[in-house]
Amino acid sequence: MKILAMAEKELREYVLKPGSISWGIVFPLVFTLAFAIRFGDVDHLAPGLLSISVLFGTTSFVSSSVIFERRLRTFERLLVAPVGYFEIVLAKVLVGSLFGLFVGFTSLLFLRPFTVYGVWNPWLLLLFLTLSAMCFSGLGLYIALIVENPINAMTWLNLIRLPMMFTSGAIVSLLLFPHWFLAVGLATPMTYSVEGLRFSMLHYYDVVNPLYSLLVLLILTLLFLYLSTSRLENLY
Amino acid sequence: MEEAIVAENLVKRYGNVEAVRGISFRVKRGEAYALLGPNGAGKTTTVRMLTTLTSITSGEAYVNGHNVKTERLAVRRSIGLVPDISNLYEELTVEENLRFMAKLYDAPRERIAELIKDFNLPAGMKFGKLSSGFKRRVTIAAALIHEPEVLFLDEPTTALDINSAKAVRGLIRLLNKRGMTVFLTTHNMLEAETIPQRIAIIRGGKIVAEGRRNELKKLVGRRILVRLSVEPITSSLLKKLEPYKPAFEEGGIVLEVDEPDEFLRFIFSLRSELGFRIDHICTELPSIEDVFVELTEGGCPCGGCPL
């Protein structure tokens, strides 16, 4: 119940914050449309663009809420209440994931006129979208908690997010890079999101088997939840 | 346990800086206790340690019998915190903020209506749109949602106008009268004079004095002041008053005495002898401000920090 109460509060308080709107909705949608209009047929690009939208949407939303709460010290309201650190982390990730799903489905709607094929497996797509949203929300939360000055969170996030757009194969397939680059790709969390979404939308993948993508996304989600909880314990 | 708060040798270190340097005190149930000190003395850090918001470097602390280090959730359930800023959610209305707090603390829904009525709060207004005074009242109401046994208030009237500050002080006194233990930090002398039963003065992370107001006032070097307005002031009168170190101020003479009763008898006998008229006479005890200034002036006792 407390997790739901915290999640409801997050939605009411932060959905319309500038960080969430600009980096979470406008940027990925404009980015998606730019590619779609430039290339016309974006079937192969669609999973990558979708993953980028979810990455930016979730990380921006979660980090914005944490930045605001740390600066205005409303975060202390949660910390002084009889609520476990893990519950606070879970509520933030839950709301970030919901926001990510909203951004993901909006991107899908925008992409639809520019794709030839429909979605191969909608349920698998929902599963990969949800896992990607949870994993990226966890990443956003962890970054927002580890920076000393919350104002720097967005800078650090962009230092991670922007390179990931290329190292994950979201825009250029990992198969087109030199062989050694594959290691960089496999070390990028977003790769597993792109590969999983590609399989669920187009019924093929570039380098990672969807089962591995599923497992890695799950493990990374749990890892970010654990790291965020530990960080929260040590931060105050 | 008779004590609501026990602090034993509390230390808080941030890197090389020791913000709190081994403080100890005990606050009885139902007591109002104030930690009085200048900015940077360690007041807020102490509150943050006792309310589980920051870790304790060393020492022990108990709130309502719960160990602050090992029973954090139990401590949080039994306390309310009013921080130095009004930190509720700006986009939520007053009622939504209280409803959220009620859910966090498993408080009954009826409590929200009770607090809105008792504190005369504008239920439907967004918190961000309220004046500082109302924000403070809502923040105090939010801290009381679960009817805590101990209420911590960190500089509760900072940045409030005179009327709002007076209302908040009245509210704190009322809560204490109803039996709630109040732990208050302040550098406001009026607050220190009117709310707590006991005061600890903290300076440079150390408690330099503790006791009831009257006990603390005895620590001040200066004696009781007598303000005297007489007509005419003659040289023979001044000669008689010389042992009391008379000083002239607008409208009369200021003297320092040890025993005001004895002095009053003396001045009335002088009147019969010299025939002057007494227009005004009053005594002035040392204030908490005098105690505070005397005990906190002259830099930090550690000698190594800028306090």
Side-chain angles (χ1 to χ4, degrees):
Chain A
M1 275 306 284
K2 287 181 185 176
I3 291 175
L4 291 180
M6 285 188 278
E8 187 196 343
K9 180 270 297 172
E10 294 277 307
L11 282 171
R12 282 170 180 268
E13 183 77 358
Y14 299 113
V15 162
L16 293 177
K17 287 286 180 189
S20 313
I21 296 169
S22 60
W23 283 102
I25 301 175
V26 178
F27 171 75
L29 290 185
V30 169
F31 197 75
T32 302
L33 282 177
F35 270 86
I37 291 164
R38 171 70 182 81
F39 294 106
D41 169 7
V42 289
D43 279 288
H44 184 76
L45 273 177
L49 294 175
L50 193 57
S51 188
I52 290 171
S53 298
V54 175
L55 172 74
F56 275 82
T58 51
T59 48
S60 298
F61 182 86
V62 173
S63 60
S64 285
S65 82
V66 176
I67 292 164
F68 275 108
E69 293 204 351
R70 283 183 66 191
R71 282 183 66 190
L72 299 173
R73 288 176 51 196
T74 46
F75 209 58
E76 292 175 8
R77 282 269 151 217
L78 304 178
L79 297 174
V80 84
V83 185
Y85 293 123
F86 183 67
E87 286 176 274
I88 297 171
V89 165
L90 211 55
K92 293 248 174 230
V93 169
L94 182 69
V95 180
S97 306
L98 283 176
F99 188 72
L101 284 175
F102 163 74
V103 173
F105 285 119
T106 313
S107 297
L108 265 178
L109 279 178
F110 273 86
L111 281 167
R112 188 66 193 98
F114 303 96
T115 52
V116 176
Y117 306 105
V119 172
W120 172 66
N121 188 330
W123 293 110
L124 202 58
L125 176 70
L126 181 65
L127 179 67
F128 271 106
L129 263 182
T130 308
L131 271 178
S132 302
M134 288 186 74
C135 177
F136 297 153
S137 296
L139 170 71
L141 177 60
Y142 182 57
I143 300 293
L145 287 173
I146 55 170
V147 289
E148 283 298 322
N149 185 348
I151 297 166
N152 296 333
M154 214 51 89
T155 310
W156 281 103
L157 267 178
N158 284 338
L159 276 175
I160 293 166
R161 293 188 297 198
L162 295 171
M164 277 212 298
M165 283 164 51
F166 298 98
T167 58
S168 64
I171 296 168
V172 182
S173 169
L174 287 175
L175 295 172
L176 298 176
F177 283 99
H179 194 65
W180 62 265
F181 193 81
L182 197 59
V184 179
L186 292 175
T188 304
M190 194 174 157
T191 302
Y192 304 93
S193 163
V194 174
E195 288 286 70
L197 290 172
R198 185 168 287 142
F199 183 76
S200 53
M201 289 172 84
L202 303 169
H203 199 202
Y204 71 83
Y205 57 89
D206 279 356
V207 284
V208 188
N209 181 298
L211 194 63
Y212 285 123
S213 293
L214 201 75
L215 273 174
V216 173
L217 281 175
L218 195 65
I219 291 166
L220 285 172
T221 302
L222 294 174
L223 179 71
F224 287 132
L225 286 174
Y226 169 76
L227 289 174
S228 299
T229 308
S230 305
R231 175 62 187 159
L232 200 52
E233 276 178 21
N234 295 327
L235 191 60
Y236 291 94
Chain B
M1 200 174 195
E2 201 197 339
E3 279 104 3
I5 305 168
V6 176
E8 286 168 359
N9 268 320
L10 276 190
V11 173
K12 180 65 190 178
R13 211 173 285 125
Y14 296 104
N16 293 329
V17 179
E18 221 171 28
V20 174
R21 306 191 295 147
I23 63 171
S24 302
F25 55 84
R26 283 164 186 265
V27 181
K28 287 181 190 147
R29 286 195 189 280
E31 188 180 20
Y33 185 92
L35 208 51
L36 181 66
N39 290 332
K43 305 186 296 290
T44 297
T45 307
T46 304
V47 168
R48 291 177 71 83
M49 282 194 283
L50 293 172
T51 55
T52 77
L53 272 177
T54 196
S55 59
I56 295 168
T57 306
S58 68
E60 292 295 331
Y62 299 87
V63 174
N64 287 317
H66 306 294
N67 188 315
V68 176
K69 283 185 190 169
T70 57
E71 299 169 87
R72 286 181 164 205
L73 287 183
V75 170
R76 289 172 191 172
R77 259 181 227 114
S78 69
I79 62 165
L81 170 65
V82 179
D84 52 344
I85 58 161
S86 299
N87 63 344
L88 285 166
Y89 300 94
E90 305 248 315
E91 295 298 323
L92 303 188
T93 65
V94 169
E95 190 172 359
E96 285 168 345
N97 265 298
L98 292 178
R99 199 183 305 141
F100 175 55
M101 289 300 146
K103 284 177 184 168
L104 283 187
Y105 286 89
D106 297 317
R109 287 177 71 92
E110 302 79 62
R111 184 79 182 128
I112 301 163
E114 253 175 55
L115 286 168
I116 287 172
K117 192 175 162 228
D118 286 357
F119 284 70
N120 195 21
L121 302 174
M125 263 186 88
K126 280 192 176 181
F127 183 74
K129 302 276 181 201
L130 297 175
S131 67
S132 309
F134 261 111
K135 278 186 177 175
R136 212 70 191 131
R137 279 159 72 169
V138 181
T139 309
I140 295 176
L144 300 172
I145 194 87
H146 56 303
E147 300 182 80
E149 293 165 64
V150 180
L151 183 65
F152 287 90
L153 300 114
D154 191 6
E155 309 209 351
T157 58
T158 301
L160 291 187
D161 62 58
I162 293 169
N163 289 335
S164 303
K166 193 178 171 190
V168 168
R169 278 194 294 273
L171 193 62
I172 299 167
R173 275 196 300 270
L174 182 70
L175 291 168
N176 181 236
K177 259 187 196 162
R178 287 180 185 169
M180 188 174 282
T181 308
V182 170
F183 185 93
L184 169 83
T185 75
T186 186
H187 51 224
N188 180 315
M189 296 308 139
L190 192 56
E191 236 157 72
E193 286 279 8
T194 55
I195 299 174
Q197 283 102 48
R198 279 195 307 139
I199 298 169
I201 296 181
I202 185 169
R203 174 191 173 199
K206 279 191 160 185
I207 289 180
V208 290
E210 190 197 35
R212 295 185 171 276
R213 277 191 289 273
N214 287 341
E215 291 166 353
L216 288 177
K217 286 173 182 177
K218 283 180 190 161
L219 298 174
V220 181
R222 96 162 161 74
R223 296 137 84 190
I224 294 161
L225 292 184
V226 175
R227 293 182 194 282
L228 183 65
S229 178
V230 297
E231 196 64 47
I233 301 173
T234 58
S235 55
S236 50
L237 169 66
L238 289 176
K239 200 167 181 180
K240 296 267 188 189
L241 292 178
E242 233 164 44
Y244 302 101
K245 298 177 190 162
F248 289 94
E249 64 165 27
E250 200 181 340
I253 308 166
V254 183
L255 307 126
E256 285 189 16
V257 303
D258 286 323
E259 297 294 337
D261 278 1
E262 197 180 292
F263 178 78
L264 288 178
R265 274 193 294 275
F266 169 70
I267 201 80
F268 282 107
S269 68
L270 267 187
R271 185 180 65 167
S272 317
E273 185 186 330
L274 301 175
F276 55 81
R277 188 180 80 243
I278 298 175
D279 291 331
H280 175 82
I281 186 164
C282 69
T283 57
E284 189 182 299
L285 291 165
S287 64
I288 285 296
E289 186 170 358
D290 296 319
V291 182
F292 180 80
V293 169
E294 184 145 325
L295 293 174
T296 60
E297 245 181 8
C300 173
C302 78
C305 73
L307 299 175

